[in-house]
């Protein structure tokens, strides 16, 4: 037993779980926590808005595969971080949010104490996987262990702990932290595996879909794909599990060309958004389906012919063994068809200009392990299929949340976690400005992210939709912007301007060589972009 404050008890538990970096913005309730961060010599990255704390923790988690931790004040601070928590929830990322509460004596009274909200814990529980309150210092170690267990078990996700204001500085005797083992994952049911293998054996043209839940199963998945000549398609978070440099690692644009011929889809650790939600407009006749997922609820959301509820690695491993035993007769010409689909897609997507001109240069200049974050923007959308990815965790998007404003702060968090890896944020002028104040954070902590701001002086995607669908009427979609180069320079961030793809390569090389934070403002005439949607949602324009 050691005498500790509530804040110190939380921090000693974080340290026991291997945490050495936290993102945070302090306030009255959390002074005791931040002082404990300081005393424990954690690296504390401050920010100019709570959304950035949450997104940085998300970028940290996604790029490393380990937990990202952030702290914000309760109420408004927490709500400011809400979009980032939702993003981590959608992306199944282990992000721990530490926040405060009103003092114990005011809990639940509704007196209107500083930052009070009607039922913070209830609100939190609707946007994270698990949340609880630490009411006394001595229960902090077991609560923190529980938080890590929840965040890292099964389908991963964000969690949150709140502590009343007075408890952060209240002293008690606290026992040392014992991390909890993750909850055991369900083992693949051998009968289901046999049924799945039978479907695979009967299939001539299988296609594998992967999501972030399959990242740790990449070796088994590649072996399975090679054994059955199946292309492996990822939408966003599963990209890089099978490299786009591999013949069987397909972008969605290439995958869609083969889709009409597919007779079996195998989903591993993925929601199957592309083939089963509104994106790909039809399902081939007679299509069979197999899913491997650790989350049983997924089987209810889209019920496959055979569902295996297990960790993706264990499931892929057992399926591989069962298919090997059952034997698989490859269809002659399948590899050639896959190669042709990739080549044809590669040619077809070049019409998405000027986005592809920029993306081609970006890929040519960046090393294969560089980390890129996107924004919902004309270049960001095109990057989903037009920017080849070679390693998992190197392409960080906001997933199905599509949270505008996430890209730049997410990149900052990824760079904090990977200081020696080039990190580039692809943003639009609209999305970048959500968190432009974090240029200060980049300077203060020397976070060398290269930010590309594609400036079309509009919420360009909204503008196109409005023009196409509402008789040309545009509302709240045009933007008046600062001079982005001057803006960056005024923060102390080096910057340059590019007005055509021809000038992009030297500017990018210079930015990467600079090492510190850098912004490239790419001027793109309004409405000049070819729609990127053709290859994401073939039925819309
Ligand atoms: C938090 C949030 N607010 C609003 C939107 C709706 N939205 C999607 S794309 C977009 C416009 C993006 O503009 P910009 O970042 O400039 O990219 P562009 O399309 O112009 O390249 C908006 C407002 C969103 N996705 N997320
Ligand atoms: Mg724009």
């Amino acid at each position: 037993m050691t005498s500790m404050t509530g804040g110190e008890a939380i921090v000693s538990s974080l340290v026991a779980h291997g945490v050495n970096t936290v993102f945070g913005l302090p306030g009255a309730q959390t002074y005791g926590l931040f002082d404990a961060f300081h005393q424990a010599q954690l690296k504390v990255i401050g920010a100019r808005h709570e959304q950035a704390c949450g997104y940085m923790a998300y970028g940290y988690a996604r790029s490393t595969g380990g937990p990202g931790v952030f702290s914000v004040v309760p109420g408004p601070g927490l709500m400011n971080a809400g979009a980032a928590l939702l993003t981590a929830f959608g992306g199944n990322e282990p992000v721990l949010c530490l926040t405060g509460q009103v003092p114990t004596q005011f809990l639940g009274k509704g007196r209107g104490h500083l930052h009070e909200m009607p039922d913070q814990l209830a609100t939190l529980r609707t946007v994270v996987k698990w949340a609880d309150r630490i009411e006394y210092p001595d229960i902090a170690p077991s609560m923190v262990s529980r938080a890590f267990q929840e965040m890292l078990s099964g389908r991963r996700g964000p969690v949150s702990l709140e502590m009343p204001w007075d408890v952060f500085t209240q002293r008690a005797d606290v026992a040392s932290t014992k991390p909890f083992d993750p909850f055991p994952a369900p083992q693949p049911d051998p009968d289901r595996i046999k049924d799945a293998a039978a479907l695979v054996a009967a299939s001539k043209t299988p296609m594998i879909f992967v999501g972030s839940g399959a990242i740790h199963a990449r070796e088994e998945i590649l072996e399975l794909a090679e054994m059955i000549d199946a292309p492996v398609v990822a939408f966003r978070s599963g990209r890089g599990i099978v490299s786009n440099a591999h013949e069987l690692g397909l972008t969605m644009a290439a995958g869609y060309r083969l889709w009409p011929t597919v007779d079996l889809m195998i989903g591993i650790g993925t929601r199957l958004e592309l083939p089963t939600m509104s994106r790909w407009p039809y399902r081939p006749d007679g299509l069979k389906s197999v899913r491997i997922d650790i989350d049983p609820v997924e089987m209810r959301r889209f019920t496959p012919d055979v569902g295996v509820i297990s960790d993706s690695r264990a499931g892929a491993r057992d399926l591989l063994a069962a298919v090997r035993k059952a034997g698989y007769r490859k269809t002659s010409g399948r590899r050639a068809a896959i190669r042709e689909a990739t080549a044809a897609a590669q040619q077809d997507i070049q019409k998405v200009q000027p986005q592809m001109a920029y993306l081609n240069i970006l890929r040519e200049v960046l090393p294969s392990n560089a980390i890129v974050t996107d924004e919902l923007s004309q270049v960001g959308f095109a990057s989903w299929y037009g920017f080849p990815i070679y390693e998992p965790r190197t392409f960080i998007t906001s997933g199905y949340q599509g949270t505008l404003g996430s890209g730049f702060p997410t990149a900052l968090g990824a760079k904090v976690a990977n200081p020696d890896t080039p990190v580039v944020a692809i943003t639009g002028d609209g999305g970048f400005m959500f968190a432009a104040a974090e240029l200060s954070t980049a300077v203060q902590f020397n976070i060398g992210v290269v930010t590309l701001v594609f400036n079309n002086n509009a919420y360009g995607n909204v503008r196109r939709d409005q023009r196409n669908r509402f008789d040309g009427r545009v509302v709240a979609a045009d933007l008046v912007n600062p001079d982005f180069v001057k803006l960056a320079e005024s923060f102390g961030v080096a910057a340059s301007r590019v007005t055509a793809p021809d000038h992009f390569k030297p500017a990018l090389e210079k930015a990467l060589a600079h090492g510190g934070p850098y912004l490239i403002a790419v001027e793109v005439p309004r409405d000049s972009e070819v729609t990127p949607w053709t290859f994401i949602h073939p039925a819309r324009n």
Side-chain angles (χ1 to χ4, degrees):
M1 292 287 201
T2 313
S3 169
M4 288 186 204
T5 64
E8 288 164 356
I10 290 176
V11 172
S12 75
S13 299
L14 294 178
V15 171
H17 284 89
V19 174
N20 57 26
T21 303
V22 293
F23 303 93
L25 203 161
Q29 293 85 357
T30 59
Y31 289 158
L33 180 66
F34 277 72
D35 187 56
F37 289 153
H38 184 72
Q39 301 280 358
Q41 298 182 349
L42 295 188
K43 186 184 214 179
V44 181
I45 309 283
R48 298 311 182 91
H49 188 286
E50 283 89 357
Q51 66 167 344
C53 301
Y55 287 131
M56 287 194 287
Y58 172 68
Y60 189 95
R62 172 51 67 91
S63 65
T64 59
V69 181
F70 76 99
S71 178
V72 292
V73 298
L78 183 68
M79 293 292 96
N80 279 345
L85 278 174
L86 264 187
T87 307
F89 184 75
N92 308 310
E93 283 307 327
V95 165
L96 168 60
C97 166
L98 298 166
T99 190
Q101 245 301 1
V102 298
T104 305
Q105 68 183 114
F106 289 95
L107 277 171
K109 296 246 162 68
R111 292 287 308 278
H113 210 287
L114 178 67
H115 300 339
E116 182 170 7
M117 58 188 285
D119 190 344
Q120 178 168 286
L121 203 47
T123 304
L124 264 172
R125 285 176 174 148
T126 63
V127 290
V128 297
K129 186 178 167 190
W130 177 91
D132 216 327
R133 178 182 302 151
I134 307 177
E135 294 185 345
Y136 306 98
D138 53 333
I139 58 162
S142 58
M143 294 295 264
V144 171
S145 292
R146 182 77 204 287
F148 275 78
Q149 183 181 43
E150 288 285 351
M151 164 163 77
L152 296 168
S153 298
R155 182 198 276 272
R156 293 171 155 215
V159 299
S160 184
L161 286 167
E162 62 172 29
M163 182 178 259
W165 183 333
D166 50 313
V167 183
F168 279 117
T169 49
Q170 184 185 318
R171 256 181 199 284
D173 284 341
V174 178
S176 60
T177 302
K178 290 187 191 60
F180 297 160
D181 290 335
F183 299 124
Q187 290 304 306
D189 178 324
D191 290 335
R192 296 288 182 91
I193 289 287
K194 215 190 267 170
D195 292 348
L199 283 184
V200 173
S203 148
K204 290 190 168 51
T205 48
M207 180 175 272
I208 300 174
F209 292 88
V210 291
S212 68
I215 290 175
H216 61 294
R218 60 188 300 215
E219 284 163 27
E220 290 79 2
I221 288 167
L222 181 58
E223 216 178 319
L224 177 66
E226 286 183 326
M227 186 189 296
I228 63 175
D229 266 355
V232 181
V233 179
F235 185 2
R236 288 166 298 220
S237 301
R239 296 196 62 201
I241 290 176
V242 174
S243 164
N244 290 137
H246 190 288
E247 205 166 272
L248 294 175
L250 266 60
T251 64
M252 67 174 110
Y256 186 65
R257 297 184 82 90
L258 294 167
W259 180 235
T261 67
V262 170
D263 64 1
L264 172 69
M265 64 171 165
I266 305 170
I268 306 178
T270 169
R271 294 186 178 91
L272 289 172
E273 179 173 344
L274 279 177
T276 68
M277 290 171 65
S278 56
R279 304 243 176 237
W280 287 5
Y282 63 91
R283 215 164 281 167
D285 287 341
L287 180 76
K288 299 278 187 214
S289 54
V290 168
R291 295 186 78 175
I292 299 172
D293 207 289
I294 201 161
D295 188 352
V297 178
E298 278 301 321
M299 303 302 172
R300 198 165 69 215
R301 291 176 179 144
F302 175 81
T303 306
D305 293 304
V306 180
V308 178
I309 298 166
S310 76
D311 170 69
S312 60
R313 187 160 190 204
R317 185 196 58 211
D318 287 6
L319 181 60
L320 184 63
V323 174
R324 191 176 283 130
K325 207 163 139 199
Y328 186 79
R329 278 175 69 90
K330 293 186 179 189
T331 306
S332 74
R334 184 96 206 279
R335 280 281 182 132
I338 293 168
R339 275 194 298 271
E340 276 160 30
T342 295
Q346 186 55 21
Q347 201 176 2
D348 208 5
I349 63 176
Q350 299 306 320
K351 70 182 179 209
V352 181
Q353 293 294 345
Q355 298 97 307
M356 281 308 304
Y358 287 107
L359 288 169
N360 289 339
I361 294 166
L362 187 64
R363 187 66 283 177
E364 185 192 329
V365 170
L366 285 179
S368 60
N369 69 338
I371 295 170
V372 170
T373 66
D374 80 334
E375 277 280 341
L376 292 203
S377 62
Q378 300 315 291
V379 182
F381 288 129
S383 73
W384 293 354
Y385 51 80
F387 184 75
I389 296 295
Y390 307 129
E391 299 280 336
R393 303 194 179 285
T394 61
F395 185 60
I396 309 182
T397 76
S398 56
Y400 73 79
Q401 290 296 349
T403 12
L404 199 63
S406 63
F408 172 49
T410 296
L412 293 176
K415 184 70 178 176
V416 168
N418 301 272
D420 301 326
T421 307
V423 178
V424 174
I426 297 173
T427 74
D429 50 319
F432 173 69
M433 287 292 275
F434 277 45
E438 305 308 334
L439 287 169
S440 286
T441 306
V443 170
Q444 186 171 348
F445 297 94
N446 192 27
I447 308 172
V449 166
V450 174
T451 305
L452 312 177
V453 182
F454 289 91
N455 178 21
N456 54 11
N457 291 296
Y459 288 129
N461 208 68
V462 173
R463 193 181 150 85
R464 181 194 299 109
D465 286 346
Q466 290 177 339
R467 284 180 358 134
N468 288 348
R469 300 176 202 178
F470 296 88
D471 291 334
R473 294 185 297 277
V474 170
V475 53
D478 288 345
L479 299 174
V480 174
N481 283 318
D483 177 325
F484 286 106
V485 172
K486 282 191 189 156
L487 177 81
E489 286 172 351
S490 74
F491 279 91
V493 170
S496 66
R497 195 182 320 277
V498 166
T499 51
D502 297 354
H503 311 146
F504 183 51
K505 192 173 176 196
L508 180 62
E509 285 169 340
K510 190 170 163 206
L512 289 164
H514 178 267
Y518 203 103
L519 184 147
I520 302 179
V522 184
E523 305 296 338
V524 184
R526 191 183 269 169
D527 297 334
S528 67
E529 301 101 334
V530 172
T531 177
W533 283 99
T534 318
F535 301 98
I536 301 170
H537 206 317
R540 74 172 264 192
N541 52 19

